[in-house]
Amino acid sequence: MRARPAPGVLLVLAPLIPLLLAPVGCASSVCSKVRSDREAFTRRAVAPGPHLALAVPYATLSQSVQRSLTGLPQVRLPLPDLGPVDLGALAVAIRSVAFRPAPAGSVGARVTVALTSQGKPVTALELDAVVAPRLDPQAGSVRLRLGAADLREVRPSMPPAERKRFAEFLLALVPGAARALVGREQVEALAETFLRELVGGRWPQIRDGLLQGTDDLVDVEIDLGEVPLTKIELKSGAADLELWAHAALPAAALSAGPARPAGSDARLVGLRMSGGVAAALANRAMASGQIRPLQPRRRPRPARRAARRRRLAGRRAAAQGPRVEHRGHLRPPHLRRHAEGRGPRRR
């Protein structure tokens, strides 16, 4: 006969039977929660933007195009004759391009044309043009191009202060002996007539000479980096060109405020980015292998430390070169005699 187990044993093991039959690993409810949280994180929807804003100072844009203006041609402009006095000629050249505010979606560009005499500035003309940038969200770039055709549609102007300055320049060219015959009023009238013809009928010929062989006076591209974008909006601030970008990333939009971060240096390019965009870009970089997790540094084992010390000692010995040591009976004779108390041998 077989002995039957005591009834109390079954009663003790009964509560443990469901645990023994459960699958090995974490509890099913915990695994489901982790799995659902991960799926919700990876399937987050893109929130309406903008998600990042870039503030580029107009001064920075203007400085970036100055070098390209040095190779432009100059035009010689003869001055009017003042009776028997020959006043010579002026050199006309494009001196600078300064970006400035404009209506939304565009950028203003003020082109300054300098009139010089023997390398010294005399006066200047101003041309105010409007540039419509080319926005390319797929490439993540904004391109500003001011072509020769844009300047052909703009008429130059001269501020009153520059007109007065030009009249003073002409008056200074009149020799002292001729000033008794030529009055100040006559010189000012001559200057006004000359400037009126300059910005009027003579300007197209001067403009074509300045732009000869030039297709684009300004060609600047702003790269927004490797950020997937769906839309770029351009706004003109008081001192910055603002670029508001919408990212194709599961991230919240920027909080309300200007494009330039508060307290940043106004001379530098400013960037505002939502925290969600920064996290999404970091996740993309880790998934593509551009960012690798930091591996903990292992402490070398004693045997490895000893082997490394021997290698370092060998390298130091090789770097110092061969060395001869004298020990015991290998000591030279003169050193051995000193050690034994005898003096050196006299010759």
Side-chain angles (χ1 to χ4, degrees):
M1 295 181 59
R2 296 181 180 178
R4 289 183 297 178
V9 176
L10 293 177
L11 294 178
V12 173
L13 296 178
L16 301 178
I17 293 176
L19 296 179
L20 296 175
L21 297 178
V24 179
C26 63
S28 58
S29 59
V30 177
C31 292
S32 300
K33 182 66 168 62
V34 172
R35 189 181 302 108
S36 62
D37 290 346
R38 184 180 184 280
E39 292 178 355
F41 178 80
T42 56
R43 296 179 181 178
R44 289 175 299 166
V46 178
H51 300 90
L52 58 93
L54 191 69
V56 184
Y58 293 123
T60 301
L61 286 175
S62 303
Q63 292 174 2
S64 65
V65 302
Q66 290 304 118
R67 184 176 300 178
S68 62
L69 304 178
T70 56
L72 295 179
Q74 294 185 355
V75 175
R76 185 176 180 274
L77 181 62
L79 290 172
D81 293 335
L82 190 59
V85 181
D86 183 10
L87 300 181
L90 298 177
V92 185
I94 297 177
R95 182 174 63 187
S96 63
V97 176
F99 292 98
R100 50 189 315 205
S106 59
V107 185
R110 171 165 290 179
V111 181
T112 302
V113 180
L115 282 70
T116 60
S117 175
Q118 299 179 355
K120 298 180 180 180
V122 175
T123 187
L125 303 175
E126 293 179 349
L127 294 90
D128 290 329
V130 177
V131 181
R134 184 174 64 88
L135 309 178
D136 190 352
Q138 300 298 328
S141 65
V142 177
R143 190 171 183 180
L144 306 176
R145 295 181 62 182
L146 178 62
D150 299 325
L151 294 183
R152 290 189 177 95
E153 302 176 358
V154 181
R155 286 288 179 181
S157 62
M158 180 174 288
E162 294 293 334
R163 293 178 178 270
K164 183 178 180 181
R165 182 181 175 184
F166 181 71
E168 295 292 339
F169 166 75
L170 290 184
L171 187 62
L173 293 179
V174 178
R179 291 188 180 182
L181 303 176
V182 180
R184 185 182 185 90
E185 295 79 6
Q186 184 178 356
V187 175
E188 292 179 351
L190 181 65
E192 187 65 27
T193 303
F194 177 80
L195 294 178
R196 191 183 307 113
E197 294 178 355
L198 174 63
V199 300
R202 301 180 65 178
W203 171 247
Q205 182 180 0
I206 298 173
R207 176 202 59 207
D208 293 342
L210 295 175
L211 300 176
Q212 184 178 4
T214 303
D215 295 330
D216 293 327
L217 185 63
V218 171
D219 191 352
V220 181
E221 185 175 4
I222 303 174
D223 189 1
L224 298 179
E226 297 182 1
V227 181
L229 302 178
T230 59
K231 183 180 179 181
I232 301 177
E233 297 176 340
L234 189 143
K235 300 179 182 179
S236 290
D240 297 325
L241 176 64
E242 300 180 358
L243 305 178
W244 298 81
H246 299 245
L249 295 172
L254 275 176
S255 58
R260 176 170 293 279
S264 62
D265 192 342
R267 298 169 299 178
L268 305 178
V269 177
L271 174 64
R272 282 186 61 208
M273 179 186 300
S274 68
V277 170
L281 292 177
N283 291 332
R284 286 167 57 95
M286 287 188 291
S288 61
Q290 296 178 355
I291 298 179
R292 297 181 179 179
L294 183 62
Q295 298 293 338
R297 186 176 180 181
R298 299 180 179 178
R299 296 186 61 184
R301 298 178 180 178
R304 294 179 181 176
R305 286 198 295 266
R308 186 167 59 182
R309 283 196 296 267
R310 288 194 297 270
R311 288 196 300 269
L312 294 177
R315 292 173 186 174
R316 285 195 294 265
Q320 294 175 359
R323 183 175 57 182
V324 178
E325 296 182 358
H326 300 284
R327 298 180 181 176
H329 65 280
L330 296 178
R331 193 178 304 165
H334 66 281
L335 294 180
R336 187 169 63 249
R337 286 193 297 270
H338 281 293
E340 295 173 357
R342 296 193 299 268
R345 182 185 298 177
R346 294 183 181 181
R347 295 182 180 178

